[in-house]
Amino acid sequence: MSHPIPEVTLHDGLKVPVIGLGTYKLKGNDGVHAITGAIDHGYRLIDSAYNYENEGTVGEAVRRSTVQREELLITSKLPGRYQGYDDAVTAIQESLYRGGLDYYDLYLIHWPNPKQDQYVEAWQALMDAKKWGLIRSIGVCNFLPEHLDRLEKETGVLPSINQVELHPFFNQADQRKWHEDHGVQTQSWSPLARAAELMKNESIHSIASAHHKTVSQVILRWHYQLGAISIPKSSSPVRQLENLSIFDFTLSEREMNRIGELSHPGGRMNDQDPAFYEEF
Ligand SMILES: NC(=O)c1ccc[n+]([C@@H]2O[C@H](COP(=O)([O-])OP(=O)(O)OC[C@H]3O[C@@H](n4cnc5c(N)ncnc54)[C@H](OP(=O)(O)O)[C@@H]3O)[C@@H](O)[C@H]2O)c1
């Protein structure tokens, strides 16, 4: 890799690379190979979750890799069904046992599940786990401003990161503005919108050919220039490398706006509005 991956500093001081590896569906022996290969290619941030059932795969890749544990940033996430305080503490411990790790760099509440109404308790468990040294930085996924506001009011602590669905069809402009105003780092899940319709988009194709880059590289560069950390998943060494090669060109303001204009209110992939949608 010719260009090093830039880092951002979270509000609690943790430095995180601006691009990481998504691991949804990377499991078992193939998953370990895909992840160790990605680490060899330069990935240092690896995103997993209790519910992906691959914390063991990620932990094995960490042990097999030649890169020191301290140089890697490993993320996992608390499932909705364990948001009660005691369950959350046990789930964090179970995540560590599954991964064979002493600590997670980032641990996130996976969904707010507002009808269940336990996310504040879950947040208190994450705050305590951080004090006990089990987690370096605590964050959330899919929290709307109203959920973040409540965490701050009731615990005095805002998440370091909010990982949200973000891609050109759903650019999260208002949510990103809220994050910026409150010092919360935006992280993009499904940054390539799972490489389906978006990959055929003509505007992005024309921008890509103007820069002699691929469509994926243009999309991931757009995330970077928005200030969001992206975590594209790829099982392929070639595409993993392709996705990291985004630091040798710049999109103009006009190109950024053209991509931004592809966003529309119904642009979420599976209509998972965190105000209503719950995941356990
Ligand atoms: N917090 C949450 O609620 C949440 C929700 C969803 C996802 N996530 C996280 O976000 C990560 C990324 O999201 P995602 O996996 O849903 O979708 P994604 O990263 O947008 O897309 C992954 C798909 O794109 C393909 N791909 C990757 N690079 C490519 C390239 N350069 N050219 C063409 N195709 C390419 C991959 O295929 P190959 O593998 O064959 O390359 C895979 O099918 C997940 O893996 C997970 O860690 C979090």
Side-chain angles (χ1 to χ4, degrees):
M1 194 189 41
S2 46
H3 290 77
I5 305 175
E7 292 179 327
V8 289
T9 305
L10 307 183
H11 70 49
D12 55 14
L14 188 73
K15 285 188 172 27
V16 183
V18 297
I19 188 160
L21 183 76
T23 68
Y24 180 53
K25 294 201 170 157
L26 294 180
K27 291 167 77 161
N29 201 37
D30 289 350
V32 172
H33 280 293
I35 297 165
T36 48
I39 295 171
D40 286 345
H41 289 324
Y43 286 85
R44 293 293 176 267
L45 171 65
I46 313 288
D47 183 80
S48 66
Y50 195 106
N51 273 351
Y52 303 167
E53 297 180 330
N54 70 353
E55 290 165 314
T57 296
V58 170
E60 184 60 18
V62 169
R63 280 184 295 282
R64 285 200 210 165
S65 155
T66 53
V67 173
Q68 295 297 306
R69 168 70 184 94
E70 304 73 56
E71 291 178 39
L72 298 168
L73 290 118
I74 312 298
T75 304
S76 194
K77 312 189 189 90
L78 179 75
R81 63 189 178 284
Y82 297 137
Q83 285 192 0
Y85 179 89
D86 292 339
D87 283 347
V89 169
T90 307
I92 293 164
Q93 292 162 342
E94 178 64 21
S95 280
L96 289 165
Y97 300 150
R98 289 178 182 202
L101 301 173
D102 298 328
Y103 64 93
Y104 279 96
D105 298 277
L106 281 149
Y107 205 85
L108 318 177
I109 299 177
H110 208 147
W111 283 89
N113 287 8
K115 275 178 275 167
Q116 182 177 246
D117 194 22
Q118 285 185 312
Y119 64 81
V120 178
E121 264 186 62
W123 186 241
Q124 274 153 346
L126 263 63
M127 286 167 57
D128 285 343
K130 185 179 176 198
K131 280 187 208 136
W132 302 328
L134 305 181
I135 305 170
R136 294 176 73 200
S137 183
I138 55 176
V140 295
C141 309
N142 305 304
F143 272 48
L144 297 172
E146 70 214 53
H147 308 134
L148 294 165
D149 259 336
R150 191 166 159 214
L151 290 187
E152 189 174 31
K153 279 202 189 87
E154 295 192 26
T155 70
V157 179
L158 271 175
S160 59
I161 275 189
N162 189 12
Q163 187 184 109
V164 294
E165 177 174 353
L166 203 171
H167 43 72
F169 288 155
F170 199 70
N171 73 19
Q172 296 270 21
D174 294 344
Q175 181 86 37
R176 282 189 288 109
K177 172 80 172 70
W178 196 99
H179 291 168
E180 229 175 273
D181 291 347
H182 294 80
V184 175
Q185 174 63 45
T186 304
Q187 191 171 43
S188 313
W189 63 256
S190 295
L192 300 171
R194 300 208 169 128
E197 274 310 298
L198 184 58
M199 306 302 271
K200 299 179 204 150
N201 184 270
E202 276 181 24
S203 292
I204 304 182
H205 269 275
S206 77
I207 294 170
S209 57
H211 288 280
H212 307 289
K213 285 285 173 181
T214 67
V215 167
S216 302
Q217 287 168 334
V218 166
I219 297 168
L220 295 171
R221 179 77 199 186
W222 173 81
H223 286 275
Y224 171 54
Q225 288 186 215
L226 285 183
I229 298 174
S230 63
I231 43 167
K233 173 262 173 186
S234 181
S235 53
S236 140
V238 172
R239 289 189 286 280
Q240 287 171 358
L241 262 180
E242 175 187 335
N243 294 345
L244 284 189
S245 304
I246 62 163
F247 302 110
D248 56 356
F249 74 112
T250 304
L251 297 170
S252 67
E253 204 180 325
R254 196 162 160 268
E255 290 168 330
M256 287 295 290
N257 291 339
R258 258 179 92 190
I259 301 172
E261 282 160 13
L262 301 174
S263 189
H264 56 98
R268 282 193 173 97
M269 287 180 304
N270 294 312
D271 199 22
Q272 295 173 337
D273 180 345
F276 310 103
Y277 177 79
E278 297 199 307
E279 214 172 270
F280 296 91

